[in-house]
Amino acid sequence: MDRMLYTAMSGAKNAMDQQSVVSNNLSNVSTAGFRAQLQAARSVPVLGAGALETRVSAVTTTPGSDFSQGPIEQTGRGLDVAMQDGAWLAVLADDGTEAYTRRGDLQVDSDGVLLNMGRPVMGDGGPIALPQGAQISIGADGTISAIPQGEGPNALVDVGRIKLVTPDEPTLTRGDDGLFRAPLNEEGVPGVLPGDETARLVSGALEGSNVSAVDAMVTMIDVQRRYDMQMRVLSNADENAQRANSMLSLQG
């Protein structure tokens, strides 16, 4: 009976954890540049005083992300950029570290700072500041050009360059803020990747999420069915225990 309860409980907990990962992926199916989170299960022995060596718990882990490229959609908006191949865009995260993203719907705040989801976009020398009211265009290498307000095309000048990097993607780690970071350095903080002069982007386009809504829905249904199955096992174990108690009371 103990083994039956423990096995069902462990399986139900694993299904709940997996469902949270699938739900997060599904909720970001329309988020530009989103990378699907992977999930897996591993067995962990239960340790501690009085623990039985035969008891092993199933634990859900997130071994990494799916780094396959999402679909590219033309938007025609000058501040939308889609990174090509293995290129990533560098931003300044809220914790002060440099982080990386494939999301490219950029904005300019009231101070002229180029932002990515409210976070400053990094250039060769730090966050990028643009002239107020200027007409902005972004080249394939990340170079930002501006035509000052009231001027003609002949007044076009370069005002900065977006920092693009080409990381070893499997080494990147996803933070709670959804941004990816390089491996920790000797000081225990995320490293800073060098800019890649050969990295390219497409202006006026966005990369969509690489999450398949159909696959995510099928997985969600499958996980829900497995959870229901584990709960039925727990219910059956409770019924068996009640019957055993009844038999013991009759014998007494």
Side-chain angles (χ1 to χ4, degrees), residues 60-160:
T60 300
T61 61
T62 51
S65 302
D66 178 6
F67 289 105
S68 60
Q69 183 165 324
I72 303 296
E73 179 181 356
Q74 296 293 328
T75 65
R77 179 174 177 268
L79 289 179
D80 285 345
V81 293
M83 274 55 70
Q84 290 186 314
D85 301 323
W88 289 67
L89 184 147
V91 299
L92 183 64
D94 296 336
D95 60 2
T97 62
E98 183 172 293
Y100 309 99
T101 179
R102 294 278 294 195
R103 183 163 184 166
D105 48 344
L106 309 181
Q107 305 89 28
V108 180
D109 69 4
S110 58
D111 296 324
V113 178
L114 187 64
L115 302 177
N116 178 290
M117 292 302 294
R119 302 177 180 92
V121 175
M122 299 298 289
D124 292 334
I128 299 174
L130 305 176
Q132 293 283 0
Q135 181 180 345
I136 303 299
S137 61
I138 303 176
D141 63 349
T143 299
I144 303 175
S145 302
I147 300 177
Q149 189 174 16
E151 299 290 340
N154 293 333
L156 182 71
V157 294
D158 293 342
V159 294

Side-chain angles (χ1 to χ4, degrees), residues 97-100 181-185 189-193:
T97 62
E98 183 172 293
Y100 309 99
R181 291 170 173 78
L184 301 180
N185 57 25
V189 297
V192 176
L193 298 176

Side-chain angles (χ1 to χ4, degrees), residues 7-28:
T7 301
M9 178 276 295
S10 179
K13 177 64 167 58
N14 174 258
M16 290 177 60
D17 293 341
Q18 186 177 1
Q19 191 74 288
S20 66
V21 175
V22 177
S23 299
N24 180 64
N25 287 340
L26 188 60
S27 66
N28 285 281

Side-chain angles (χ1 to χ4, degrees), residues 144-177:
I144 303 175
S145 302
I147 300 177
Q149 189 174 16
E151 299 290 340
N154 293 333
L156 182 71
V157 294
D158 293 342
V159 294
R161 182 177 181 181
I162 296 174
K163 181 179 179 180
L164 299 174
V165 301
T166 305
D168 181 13
E169 291 178 333
T171 66
L172 296 177
T173 56
R174 186 200 305 262
D176 294 336
D177 53 7

